[in-house]
Each structure stands twice: as structure tokens, then as C-alpha cells.
């Protein structure tokens, strides 16, 4: 889009790691996504689409299995390496070492059954849905969008590099103000497809 808003962009170095253009873009707001993605022929996934892609046919808490230790090769989370390399203020972290303090280059970790990388950890990803309880709101047929009248926040999924495993479960959701920009907030562009 002509500018890289990332705090941890290509000129950054942290925790002994030089960042480059393979790292996810962050510090993008929901409003930025709405404005720019359509212009490029992309959309934000709905929360249902995001979770379907994340799970890749699995029913376990993480696509990698029942136990959080399975995330060691598939996700960039708050861990022992981060704590030893600049994130010592984090009170919670996992015991493994994924070799990154901030986000990792896309594709560093093993992909899920649909070929998607970093659906757990790295950066939170915006979804189209307003944040609210599921309650009596039926999902929209086709894309599963849940309309939440008057929603103040928008849904984000996946967790981030400063999150622990529990926050990165396939079903976990969080809400952020649509104007929020943060080094833990990114985007996974999606594209509409039609069946033959």
C-alpha cells in the first residue's frame, strides 16, 4: 500500500534478529484493513472463516493437538527465548525456545493441514465480525458472519508473539477497538472464491 507501518519493520533488529519483508505487517487497524484490502482485491475473513482455516479439519484446542507443547514447532509465542532476549518483563511464558522475541518471518514454523502458517501466535489477526456474545445471533449463511449491532470492538484471532498458549487456542477470540494499531495486531488477507 506504499507504506510499512510496522514497529518491527525491515529496519528493526530485536533479540538478536534482523527483521525483513518476510515478517508480518503489524500496527494496522481494522479501519486500515477495510480501506486498503478491498482496493487490492482482498477481504478480511469472518471469524467463522478464520477458525475454519486455523483448525484445518481438526477438533483439538490447537491444530497441532491436545497439548500445548505441540506448539513448539508451529507457533511463535512468549517463551524462554523471548524472556532471555529482551522480554524479561513478561510474567508468563512457555518453557520451550522458538528463537524469536518479536514476530517471526512468515513460514518459519510448520504449516497446518491447509498449508497456513502462523495461525497460532506471531500477530493477532483482524476478522470482519463485531465483537460480542454469540447468544441468539445466527451466523450469516455462506460466510458465517455474525452481525453484532452496535459492536464497539472487532474480533481478532490467533494470539501473538507475547501471548501464552492458552490465548492461542483455535477457538479463542479477543476484541479490539477498530482504530487500534499495535505491534501485536496484524492481518491475514483473504479472497472470495467461487466454486465451479
Amino acid at each position: 500500500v506504499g507504506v510499512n507501518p510496522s514497529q518491527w519493520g525491515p529496519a528493526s533488529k530485536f533479540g538478536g534478529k534482523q527483521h525483513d519483508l518476510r515478517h508480518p505487517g503489524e500496527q494496522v487497524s481494522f479501519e486500515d484493513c477495510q480501506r486498503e484490502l478491498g482496493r487490492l482485491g482482498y477481504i478480511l475473513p469472518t471469524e467463522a472463516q478464520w477458525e475454519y482455516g486455523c483448525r484445518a479439519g481438526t477438533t483439538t484446542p490447537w491444530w497441532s493437538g491436545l497439548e500445548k507443547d505441540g506448539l513448539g514447532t508451529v507457533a511463535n509465542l512468549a517463551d524462554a527465548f523471548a524472556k532471555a532476549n529482551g522480554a524479561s518483563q513478561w510474567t508468563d511464558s512457555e518453557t520451550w525456545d522458538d528463537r524469536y522475541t518479536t514476530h517471526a518471518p512468515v513460514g518459519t514454523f510448520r504449516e497446518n493441514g491447509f498449508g497456513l502458517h502462523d495461525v497460532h501466535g506471531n500477530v493477532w489477526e483482524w476478522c470482519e465480525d463485531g465483537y460480542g456474545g454469540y447468544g441468539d445471533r445466527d451466523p450469516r449463511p455462506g460466510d458465517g458472519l455474525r452481525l453484532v449491532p452496535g459492536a464497539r470492538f472487532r474480533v481478532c484471532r490467533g494470539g501473538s508473539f507475547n501471548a501464552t498458549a492458552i490465548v492461542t487456542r483455535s477457538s479463542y477470540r479477543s476484541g479490539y477497538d477498530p482504530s487500534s494499531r499495535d505491534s501485536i495486531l496484524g492481518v491475514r488477507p483473504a479472497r472470495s472464491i467461487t466454486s465451479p
Side-chain angles (χ1 to χ4, degrees):
V1 298
V3 64
N4 187 338
S6 299
Q7 176 178 337
W8 307 109
S12 300
K13 186 174 185 178
F14 194 80
K17 305 282 185 185
Q18 179 65 51
H19 290 206
D20 58 33
L21 291 173
R22 297 173 302 144
H23 285 255
E26 24 91 354
Q27 294 215 134
V28 292
S29 68
F30 176 85
E31 294 162 349
D32 295 334
C33 295
Q34 292 295 89
R35 183 177 57 254
E36 300 296 341
L37 290 181
R39 192 172 61 80
L40 298 169
Y42 293 97
I43 59 172
L44 283 175
T46 65
E47 191 175 6
Q49 291 168 332
W50 189 96
E51 187 169 331
Y52 180 82
C54 173
R55 287 186 178 282
T58 66
T59 58
T60 52
W62 301 275
W63 71 258
S64 56
L66 285 170
E67 303 299 326
K68 70 178 184 175
D69 290 341
L71 292 169
T73 61
V74 305
N76 175 24
L77 305 175
D79 66 0
F81 182 87
K83 206 155 188 166
N85 289 276
S88 58
Q89 74 280 13
W90 294 351
T91 55
D92 294 325
S93 63
E94 302 300 343
T95 57
W96 58 79
D97 176 349
D98 65 23
R99 309 293 303 158
Y100 290 91
T101 303
T102 62
H103 48 69
V106 173
T108 297
F109 300 96
R110 193 164 49 98
E111 75 276 2
N112 71 10
F114 288 168
L116 299 175
H117 294 269
D118 309 316
V119 290
H120 302 300
N122 231 17
V123 292
W124 285 97
E125 298 172 352
W126 290 106
C127 293
E128 182 67 28
D129 307 60
Y131 186 79
Y134 289 140
D136 60 355
R137 294 179 184 92
D138 290 331
R140 185 168 68 187
D143 64 6
L145 180 71
R146 288 187 189 267
L147 300 172
V148 182
R152 182 173 166 216
F153 299 108
R154 291 293 173 165
V155 172
C156 286
R157 292 295 205 105
S160 68
F161 61 83
N162 71 348
T164 54
I166 197 77
V167 176
T168 67
R169 294 183 325 261
S170 300
S171 63
Y172 194 92
R173 57 203 298 264
S174 189
Y176 285 88
D177 185 284
S179 64
S180 295
R181 289 187 179 90
D182 197 297
S183 64
I184 61 169
L185 281 174
V187 60
R188 181 177 299 268
R191 186 176 307 184
S192 294
I193 56 173
T194 56
S195 319

